[in-house]
């Protein structure tokens, strides 16, 4: 088996602002694993807040020697080897995991979801993200989001600014909203007041309202919130999960945090054992990461898989599609993505 990779900068359709920063590009590394006539695609998308760089991903991928394996079907052996090469590097590991799943699916003529034995007919509406912006831009973005049944709204600033954002959206649409504070609130009483206000505005869940390490405050919010409180920055892999029982109502699982589909599936199983809800998320990315994550959609309660819709230079076509507002899987082998002509 042969591993190849190259940096690929993603250009965002709109400058994207969350509570801590703004950006207009996302660094990314595109990966392929080939075996005989077959090729699988993978991706490491690298939002700056996770601390990975194109160089750190490429350095990691340079250490990986897949030539030592005769067949891609030894999935656990290969992914254990990759995982044991370092303690972190989850996006690089995810890129290999995704490409390996895609490769095997193409070899056997089966979509990746079959590997996890899930029912592909269970489609969910993906939320579509509206970043922090001025009211006129927010109105434009909400109008552009017409095909989507749920909007995800970034908040996490002062209550007056957050309320302006929500009121602006509510002046255009009454769609259900997911709200993500990206750790932006710092006083739990103010946060709880905001959550109660958001609930009154038709918000159905709140993601990471306070800093990831403030577990006592987050547990307090979860105990008193009328809507589910979902962990994002507080969780990366399955080893983080036991500490979050009772602290959050659910977890946002992303392949770039978990290191790939294999670990994400383990996290879903653990979340269910811990009686927690499951959200599947992604970074700003191409259809490769989105389509890979969507293979587990039938196991989730919520999906926020709009990363490919936010970039202007998606390399792929033919992966997941939005039909009647629902994210739908294709039945093609592997991920079913092809490089655009
Ligand atoms: Mg989030």
């Amino acid at each position: 088996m042969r591993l190849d990779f190259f940096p690929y900068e993603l250009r965002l359709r709109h400058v994207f602002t969350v509570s801590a920063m703004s950006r207009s590009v996302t660094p990314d590394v595109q990966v392929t694993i080939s075996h005989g006539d077959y090729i699988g695609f993978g991706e490491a998308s690298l939002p700056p807040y996770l601390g990975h760089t194109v160089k750190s991903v490429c350095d990691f991928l340079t250490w990986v020697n897949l030539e030592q394996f005769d067949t891609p079907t030894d999935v656990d052996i290969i992914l254990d080897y990759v995982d044991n090469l370092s303690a972190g590097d989850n996006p690089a590991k995810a890129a290999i995991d995704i490409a390996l799943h895609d490769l095997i699916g193409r070899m056997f003529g089966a979509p990746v979801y079959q590997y996890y034995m899930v029912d592909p007919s269970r489609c969910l509406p993906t939320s579509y993200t509206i970043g922090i912006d001025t009211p006129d831009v927010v109105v434009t973005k909400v109008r552009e989001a017409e095909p989507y049944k749920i909007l995800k709204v970034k908040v996490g600033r002062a209550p007056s600014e957050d309320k302006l954002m929500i009121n602006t959206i509510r002046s255009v649409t009454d769609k259900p909203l997911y709200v993500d504070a990206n750790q932006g609130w710092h006083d739990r009483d103010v946060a709880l007041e905001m959550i109660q206000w958001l609930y009154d505005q038709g918000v159905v869940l709140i993601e990471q309202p306070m800093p990831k390490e403030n577990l006592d405050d987050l547990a307090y919010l979860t105990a008193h919130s009328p809507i589910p409180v979902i962990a994002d920055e507080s969780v990366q892999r399955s080893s983080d999960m036991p500490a979050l029982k009772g602290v959050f109502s659910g977890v946002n699982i992303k392949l770039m945090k978990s290191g790939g589909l294999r670990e994400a599936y383990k996290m879903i199983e653990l979340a269910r054992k811990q009686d927690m809800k499951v959200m599947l998320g992604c970074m700003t990315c191409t259809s490769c990461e989105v389509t890979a994550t969507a293979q587990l959609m039938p196991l989730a309660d919520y999906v926020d898989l709009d990363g490919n819709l936010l970039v202007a230079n998606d390399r792929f076509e033919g992966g997941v599609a939005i039909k009647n507002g629902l994210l739908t899987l294709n039945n093609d082998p592997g991920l079913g993505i092809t490089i655009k002509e």
Side-chain angles (χ1 to χ4, degrees):
M1 270 188 296
R2 178 189 160 101
L3 174 69
D4 291 288
F5 53 92
F6 63 92
Y8 183 73
E9 188 171 74
L10 301 172
R11 296 192 311 273
L12 308 187
R13 289 186 189 277
H14 291 285
V15 173
F16 190 63
T17 301
V18 300
S19 65
M21 68 180 82
S22 292
R23 63 179 205 271
S24 58
V25 295
T26 297
D28 187 283
V29 178
Q30 295 282 312
V31 169
T32 55
I33 300 176
S34 43
H35 180 65
D37 292 337
Y38 295 97
I39 186 163
F41 295 102
E43 168 172 28
S45 60
L46 308 166
Y49 65 86
L50 284 178
H52 305 283
T53 62
V54 167
K55 182 174 186 307
S56 70
V57 170
C58 292
D59 284 350
F60 180 85
L61 294 173
T62 305
W63 300 330
V64 175
N65 171 17
L66 296 185
E67 316 254 340
Q68 64 186 300
F69 301 105
D70 295 330
T71 167
T73 52
D74 291 335
V75 178
D76 284 324
I77 293 170
I78 296 167
L79 294 181
D80 284 344
Y81 154 75
V82 171
D83 205 18
N84 288 330
L85 286 174
S86 76
D89 297 297
N90 291 323
K93 291 172 180 175
I96 292 172
D97 169 290
I98 295 167
L100 193 62
H101 280 85
D102 186 28
L103 175 65
I104 293 168
R106 288 173 198 265
M107 284 173 60
F108 288 94
V112 170
Y113 61 74
Q114 277 190 11
Y115 189 85
Y116 290 100
M117 291 184 287
V118 300
D119 173 6
S121 67
R122 189 170 174 272
C123 300
L124 297 174
T126 179
S127 51
Y128 181 84
T129 302
I130 308 291
I132 292 172
D133 223 310
T134 56
D136 53 326
V137 177
V138 169
V139 166
T140 307
K141 286 183 184 174
V142 171
R143 294 215 166 105
E144 278 178 17
E146 201 278 323
Y148 310 102
K149 291 174 185 287
I150 300 171
L151 301 181
K152 179 165 170 180
V153 187
K154 296 289 193 177
V155 298
R157 297 181 296 169
S160 60
E161 293 173 294
D162 289 343
K163 287 181 179 177
L164 176 62
M165 189 65 197
I166 300 295
N167 286 333
T168 304
I169 291 166
R170 280 288 172 253
S171 73
V172 191
T173 180
D174 57 3
K175 285 177 185 175
L177 305 178
Y178 298 163
V179 163
D180 189 353
N182 287 111
Q183 321 184 71
W185 298 330
H186 294 274
D187 177 306
R188 74 179 191 182
D189 295 317
V190 176
L192 186 58
E193 243 173 68
M194 269 305 296
I195 291 170
Q196 271 155 350
W197 183 85
L198 291 168
Y199 170 66
D200 292 337
Q201 313 309 313
V203 170
V204 296
L205 64 82
I206 174 77
E207 209 177 302
Q208 199 72 46
M210 296 185 67
K212 59 184 178 186
E213 59 282 353
N214 293 17
L215 296 187
D216 289 347
D217 289 334
L218 287 158
Y220 172 86
L221 292 180
T222 297
H224 294 88
S225 170
I227 50 176
V229 181
I230 308 292
D232 185 0
E233 287 86 342
S234 289
V235 62
Q236 295 218 7
R237 300 186 61 150
S238 55
S239 54
D240 301 324
M241 296 280 299
L244 302 183
K245 184 171 162 55
V247 176
F248 289 96
S249 324
V251 285
N252 186 345
I253 297 171
K254 298 177 179 173
L255 301 187
M256 294 304 128
K257 297 191 297 179
S258 72
L261 283 160
R262 185 178 73 145
E263 179 75 5
Y265 183 81
K266 274 188 214 163
M267 293 175 76
I268 293 172
E269 286 187 314
L270 256 180
R272 296 315 187 189
K273 278 192 196 136
Q274 296 184 187
D275 200 21
M276 295 174 83
K277 294 194 178 296
V278 170
M279 182 175 199
L280 292 175
C282 61
M283 307 304 176
T284 44
C285 56
T286 72
S287 293
C288 179
E289 179 186 334
V290 165
T291 303
T293 313
Q295 305 301 309
L296 301 176
M297 168 171 61
L299 305 175
D301 300 296
Y302 318 105
V303 290
D304 176 31
L305 295 177
D306 63 345
N308 57 328
L309 306 169
L310 305 175
V311 308
N313 57 338
D314 189 356
R315 291 179 68 217
F316 299 102
E317 58 191 3
V320 285
I322 309 285
K323 291 182 185 158
N324 299 322
L326 299 176
L327 195 65
T328 52
L329 293 162
N330 66 60
N331 297 316
D332 296 330
L335 299 177
I337 53 173
T338 49
I339 294 175
K340 283 180 183 169
E341 294 293 315

